Amino acid sequence: MSRPLHLAVELDGEGAHPAAWRRASHAPAALLTPERVRALAQVAENAGATLATFDDSLLPPDGVGPVGRIGAVERAAFAAVHTSVLGLAPVVSTTYSEPFHVSSQLASLDFAATGRAAWLVAATADPAAARSLGRPTVEGEEALRREARDAGRVARDLWDSWEDDAAVRDVDTGRYLDRDKLHYIDFVGETYTVKGPAIVPRPPQGQLVVLAPAGLLPAGAADVELVEGRSVADLAGDGPGLRFAEVEIALDTPAHTAAERLADLDRHAPWAAGPRLRYAGPPGGLMALLEELAGVVDGVRLRPAVLDEDLPELSARVLPALFRSGTAARPQPGTSLRTTLGLTRPASRFARHLTPVEGTA
Amino acid sequence: MSSTDYPRPHAQLHLGVFFQGVNHWTIWSLPESGSQIDFSSFRRMIGTAERGLFDAFFLGEGLRLRESGGKIHDLDVAGRPDAITQLAALAGLTSRIGLVATQNTTYNEPADLARRLSGLDLLSNGRAGWNVVTTDNAWTGENFRRGGYLDHADRYVRAEQFLTVARQIWDSWDTDAIATSTDAEDWADPKGIATVGARTSQFDVEITPTLPRSPQGHPVIFQAGDSAEGRDFAARNADVIFSAHGSDFADALAFATDIRARLRTAGRSEDALRILPGTEIVLGDTEEEAAEKAHWIRLHQVTPATALAIAGQVWGIDLSDRDADGPLPAEDPVVVEPTGEMGSRRWKDPREIVRTWRDTAEARGLSLRETVIALGPQRGHVGTPAGLAEKFAHFVRAGAVDGFNISPYLTPDGLDDIVDRLVPELQERGVYRERYAGTTLREHLGLAGSGFFR
Ligand SMILES: Cc1cc2nc3c(=O)[nH]c(=O)nc-3n(C[C@H](O)[C@H](O)[C@H](O)COP(=O)(O)O)c2cc1C
């Protein structure tokens, strides 16, 4: 693959390591402040990342780390006004949420971010989430995939339910809307129905960029699939959309090696190796790994062990070199996220003229 | 009347701006009318409101596009952002003004909504408000998993239980639950965070909340609803009422007196709640100029097509091919069961209304459209900046209102003359702040700090 690698970075909490908060450069409570959300988004943008992702759940994060978390959509919306080229992808679960609300929230994020919004689709297996919402538990992989499929479908239909030019503002006839350009979606799923149209007009990108873990949505339903594998070879593959590899990272800093930092954190809580590729070491090694990955995937999602330590290293020592060598590219000002990712802006599926509208938001 | 003759000689006026969303009062047909959805419109309007030292910026809610005659209603401004998402973005562009989201209790769940409002409250350092509404029609329900779902009679029952659970969520973290150092044993003391459980007629839930209290404790509660149940709900629960009684002094005072009685019955102090009616404000250099401008504005709000649509609802007949500038329809009205599609219009007896319309049109020689305008809601205040400042000082010192929620008739510049011309006149009369005294919405409104409910 010769295209430049797209770089996403996960900004939730204090970092991917369960004990990351212990090496944060601020007191624990500072996590839940606007200053923190702004600072992280700005560091990610200035570093040149294409996309920031914000993990989320209605339930407290597991384990020994922070049990506090501001909702991902709210964080992304707040970050939107403090950034200008960074894509913003909150996690929103599909299992118990109201698809109509989810679609409105994400479309509104795209307006606030002027065409830089994405949705990281998730499923929620923990029955405690159902309990907190007073809803019957959705059990089993298949049912979780069904809810994800339906919620994804409803969101996409609702984003298309207003054609781009539905607000015609026709002074002669007194019509603000052209009702022929508004569409009931009449979604009928196995567990619920949604009538439509949306309350929010079609978002700037037409369709937000939809990211999902590989296998959660039906083939072709996601624009970007997040793929896991412990080696570069494991990550090789193909799909109808873009493929981003999940990569956990810990970098050497001027003060400590990655190994020293991880040993310190592991004393508090082990960072169990999972199905994802993990890199710990000097920045140069990460560059080499990313260059190799550029041959098998379209992008990576970096999950820094400790945001306060690893983001500055990424920003100072890894990303600039990747941009210089052409392995990765910075997003350009004034460009929608779809355009940055090389995706076209689709016409509404309900529009009668089915020629795709090219261009940026 | 000197200000010391009033029951509240030192009362201060509170101002909010209501970015309406779906309505025909926001004029979209003028060249200076901007986008109703682009973020820049919201940024511009909230910036003006904050420059004018307003207490709050409000967003309404509606969860289904309105219809008339079984078709999407195409004459009004429509399309709006999700309130909490939009306000979270606007929180980043402002530092003082309150951010109020209208959110209904019927198609939300406490664990989710209370958390999103908490997030907004934290991201704004304590400036969030929640306008609690109770939308209940089955027609909105068609967009939600639960469908129609809730009987009219149960909606305030659910609202009240919802609010109780939300408050427990907001109060679940002790103020010192989070560790002060990265060397602490735990990130948060597990004993400092309470699990919230509720088994009521509407809820069977158990929630582990994820957020601490904000600098203002928790979001300020607004209520908008006018029935006896709605007023009692407000008297028991709300910090602010967003009322529809602010144009006529006697009507406003009667409403405020009624609310104060209900507050006493609920065991709350009369000063525990602020009454901010929605209003429209039209300014002119002279009274005549203001009146002329107000009429010109009405003609842009009640267009020929809108006049025919409103009359069509009264008559129960499609009148869209008639001449709005001609006489009233000769037919008798058709009595139809209201479907609730247009929400606010539940006509009593159309025959009687038509009789009133005909009498008025005949007596004053009015066309159909002029009749609609003449008999439509009188939505606000028209005058010079100095004249309105006097009038508002009178309203607030007499205890008829605590302020107003202004619905500008133009987006995004409809607040400019209010901030530039009316606000200084109010300040001169000592009924409006010269600067923000605090940083939270609760402080702006002069509400007592919210105690723990637990
Ligand atoms: C000034 C005012 C503003 C309102 N704004 C909204 C709104 O934005 N969204 C909504 O769903 N309902 C809104 N409502 C409707 C009320 O929440 C309530 O559902 C309605 O008034 C019927 O309740 P009631 O019988 O107690 O009056 C508003 C009501 C008033 C008086």
Side-chain angles (χ1 to χ4, degrees):
Chain A
M1 244 171 270
S2 58
R3 285 162 297 168
L5 197 66
H6 300 297
L7 301 173
V9 57
E10 165 61 36
L11 296 184
D12 190 54
E14 302 291 4
H17 194 291
W21 66 279
R22 303 221 171 248
R23 295 187 70 90
S25 58
H26 52 255
L31 172 65
L32 305 176
T33 62
E35 293 73 25
R36 178 67 179 166
V37 176
R38 177 175 58 218
L40 283 180
Q42 288 179 339
V43 170
E45 168 154 294
N46 293 337
T50 288
L51 182 67
T53 62
F54 301 85
D55 198 7
D56 205 12
S57 165
L58 204 50
L59 306 172
D62 285 336
V64 295
V67 293
R69 184 190 259 154
I70 296 173
V73 171
E74 290 78 67
R75 273 180 288 156
F78 185 83
V81 300
H82 295 294
T83 51
S84 57
V85 296
L86 182 69
L88 302 161
V91 162
V92 182
S93 172
T94 51
T95 312
Y96 301 108
S97 52
E98 282 290 351
F100 193 84
H101 287 323
V102 170
S103 151
S104 295
Q105 289 158 14
L106 292 165
S108 303
L109 176 64
D110 202 39
F111 275 103
T114 54
R116 292 180 286 128
W119 174 21
L120 179 37
V121 176
T124 305
D126 191 335
R131 186 96 192 85
S132 70
L133 294 170
R135 307 229 4 248
T137 309
V138 173
E139 276 181 274
E141 293 289 312
E142 200 181 316
L144 291 172
R145 274 198 296 272
R146 177 194 67 216
E147 296 301 319
R149 176 199 69 202
D150 287 359
R153 174 82 212 181
V154 169
R156 286 207 186 272
D157 282 359
L158 286 170
W159 295 334
D160 279 347
S161 66
W162 289 55
E163 293 183 35
D164 287 313
D165 51 355
V168 289
R169 300 168 79 120
D170 183 359
V171 177
D172 287 346
T173 60
R175 288 177 317 141
Y176 181 80
L177 298 174
D178 178 350
R179 60 165 76 105
D180 292 338
K181 296 183 180 201
L182 291 161
H183 304 277
Y184 293 103
I185 70 166
D186 286 320
F187 173 82
V188 180
E190 288 163 55
T191 59
Y192 60 88
T193 63
V194 178
K195 178 85 184 165
I199 282 301
V200 190
R202 196 157 193 254
Q205 294 181 98
Q207 289 277 317
L208 274 70
V209 175
V210 175
L211 297 89
L216 179 58
L217 293 183
D223 299 296
V224 178
E225 282 204 322
L226 299 172
V227 293
E228 297 183 324
R230 288 188 181 203
S231 70
V232 175
D234 286 352
L235 286 160
D238 218 351
L242 301 172
R243 298 170 69 257
F244 282 22
E246 298 271 26
V247 184
E248 297 170 340
I249 58 164
L251 295 172
D252 291 353
T253 66
H256 302 281
T257 66
E260 286 164 354
R261 294 172 47 223
L262 291 179
D264 175 45
L265 292 173
D266 286 346
R267 283 188 298 124
H268 298 286
W271 194 17
R276 298 174 188 136
L277 192 59
R278 182 178 291 176
Y279 174 82
L286 179 59
M287 274 182 52
L289 175 65
L290 294 176
E291 270 159 21
E292 219 185 315
L293 281 167
V296 300
V297 291
D298 305 288
V300 290
R301 177 159 75 137
L302 303 173
R303 297 166 158 271
V306 178
L307 289 168
D308 281 349
E309 295 183 318
D310 293 298
L311 267 189
E313 293 305 310
L314 271 179
S315 168
R317 275 174 258 288
V318 182
L319 270 44
L322 290 175
F323 298 143
R324 273 197 306 276
S325 69
T327 309
R330 278 178 171 274
Q332 294 303 304
T335 311
S336 76
L337 179 61
R338 291 193 77 85
T339 302
T340 299
L341 294 175
L343 303 167
T344 54
R345 186 180 190 284
S348 160
R349 69 202 57 196
F350 300 107
R352 262 152 302 167
H353 324 284
L354 284 170
T355 25
V357 182
E358 305 278 339
T360 62
Chain B
M1 187 159 168
S2 115
S3 73
T4 47
D5 300 333
Y6 282 104
R8 306 195 306 181
H10 306 295
Q12 293 279 301
L13 200 72
H14 300 275
L15 294 181
V17 53
F18 187 51
F19 197 111
Q20 305 190 83
V22 179
N23 74 103
H24 72 270
W25 305 109
T26 304
I27 302 171
W28 51 261
S29 56
L30 294 171
E32 60 268 43
S33 165
S35 169
Q36 306 293 324
I37 186 68
D38 286 351
F39 190 69
S40 56
S41 290
F42 293 82
R43 185 205 328 246
R44 167 107 179 90
M45 194 174 282
I46 198 171
T48 307
E50 191 167 61
R51 179 164 64 79
L53 308 173
F54 277 40
D55 291 58
F57 182 83
F58 264 88
L59 292 175
E61 184 193 61
L63 297 170
R64 179 145 173 204
L65 276 193
R66 297 197 298 165
E67 297 180 356
S68 50
K71 291 186 195 143
I72 287 171
H73 187 65
D74 56 3
L75 304 177
D76 296 359
V77 164
R80 56 166 120 214
D82 172 74
I84 294 177
T85 309
Q86 188 79 347
L87 294 172
L90 292 169
L93 297 171
T94 51
S95 61
R96 294 297 185 100
I97 193 166
L99 306 162
V100 184
T102 301
Q103 297 278 295
N104 81 85
T105 48
T106 304
Y107 299 108
N108 281 297
E109 301 300 334
D112 176 52
L113 181 58
R115 178 171 182 254
R116 285 191 288 123
L117 287 163
S118 269
L120 174 63
D121 209 11
L122 289 166
L123 288 170
S124 62
N125 285 318
R127 294 186 282 134
W130 171 21
N131 183 29
V132 181
V133 296
T134 54
T135 320
D136 69 319
N137 51 64
W139 182 74
T140 293
E142 286 182 40
N143 282 332
F144 293 91
R145 286 176 182 268
R146 283 173 150 152
Y149 169 58
L150 202 61
D151 285 347
H152 185 270
D154 285 335
R155 61 193 180 141
Y156 279 113
V157 172
R158 180 172 164 100
E160 192 132 4
Q161 293 177 9
F162 196 119
L163 203 49
T164 302
V165 177
R167 284 184 161 133
Q168 286 171 357
I169 293 172
W170 293 332
D171 288 343
S172 62
W173 287 39
D174 287 348
T175 40
D176 54 359
I178 306 178
T180 51
S181 148
T182 54
D183 297 326
E185 193 170 335
D186 295 305
W187 187 86
D189 176 6
K191 291 192 295 297
I193 300 174
T195 300
V196 172
R199 288 195 90 132
T200 66
S201 64
Q202 291 293 326
F203 300 103
D204 179 6
V205 295
E206 186 180 300
I207 300 149
T208 309
T210 54
L211 289 171
R213 284 160 65 88
S214 81
Q216 67 171 348
H218 47 67
V220 175
I221 302 300
F222 289 66
Q223 183 271 359
D226 207 18
S227 62
E229 295 140 292
R231 292 182 187 198
D232 280 334
F233 173 81
R236 283 193 299 272
N237 297 296
D239 298 306
V240 181
I241 295 186
F242 182 8
S243 88
H245 303 271
S247 299
D248 175 72
F249 179 79
D251 175 51
L253 188 60
F255 179 80
T257 305
D258 177 63
I259 294 298
R260 285 195 273 269
R262 289 176 200 266
L263 279 168
R264 285 193 300 273
T265 306
R268 293 175 74 198
S269 119
E270 289 186 359
D271 191 42
L273 185 150
R274 304 284 167 266
I275 300 172
L276 306 187
T279 195
E280 186 184 85
I281 291 176
V282 179
L283 297 175
D285 287 335
T286 62
E287 295 292 335
E288 298 70 44
E289 191 196 300
E292 244 171 66
K293 188 165 158 196
H295 186 65
W296 177 84
I297 288 168
R298 277 293 176 270
L299 290 174
H300 284 83
Q301 292 171 325
V302 184
T303 61
T306 292
L308 293 170
I310 291 170
Q313 286 187 320
V314 175
W315 261 266
I317 306 173
D318 180 2
L319 299 173
S320 57
D321 57 354
R322 308 291 173 94
D323 178 7
D325 296 317
L328 269 54
E331 295 96 319
D332 285 333
V334 178
V335 182
V336 284
E337 259 315 289
T339 59
E341 287 176 344
M342 294 281 288
S344 54
R345 298 187 180 277
R346 288 189 175 129
W347 303 108
K348 276 173 271 168
D349 178 0
R351 277 167 301 226
E352 202 181 307
I353 296 166
V354 164
R355 212 156 22 241
T356 313
W357 283 42
R358 289 208 170 110
D359 291 349
T360 307
E362 203 169 318
R364 294 163 57 182
L366 302 179
S367 71
L368 170 62
R369 183 178 176 206
E370 287 163 339
T371 309
V372 172
I373 291 174
L375 294 179
Q378 300 310 303
R379 309 182 71 246
H381 299 277
V382 178
T384 62
L388 288 189
E390 283 296 329
K391 186 178 178 187
F392 291 168
H394 171 61
F395 269 61
V396 72
R397 286 173 178 151
V401 304
D402 293 293
F404 294 99
N405 262 317
I406 301 168
S407 297
Y409 52 80
L410 262 187
T411 302
D413 295 337
L415 272 188
D416 293 28
D417 62 345
I418 292 165
V419 166
D420 294 334
R421 305 188 59 200
L422 177 62
V423 161
E425 296 281 354
L426 292 168
Q427 286 168 328
E428 218 164 276
R429 285 161 183 77
V431 287
Y432 195 69
R433 62 171 63 94
E434 298 279 346
R435 64 193 62 81
Y436 286 109
T439 58
T440 68
L441 176 55
R442 206 170 281 281
E443 286 170 314
H444 302 338
L445 290 163
L447 297 166
S450 80
F452 278 86
F453 280 77
R454 162 144 73 96

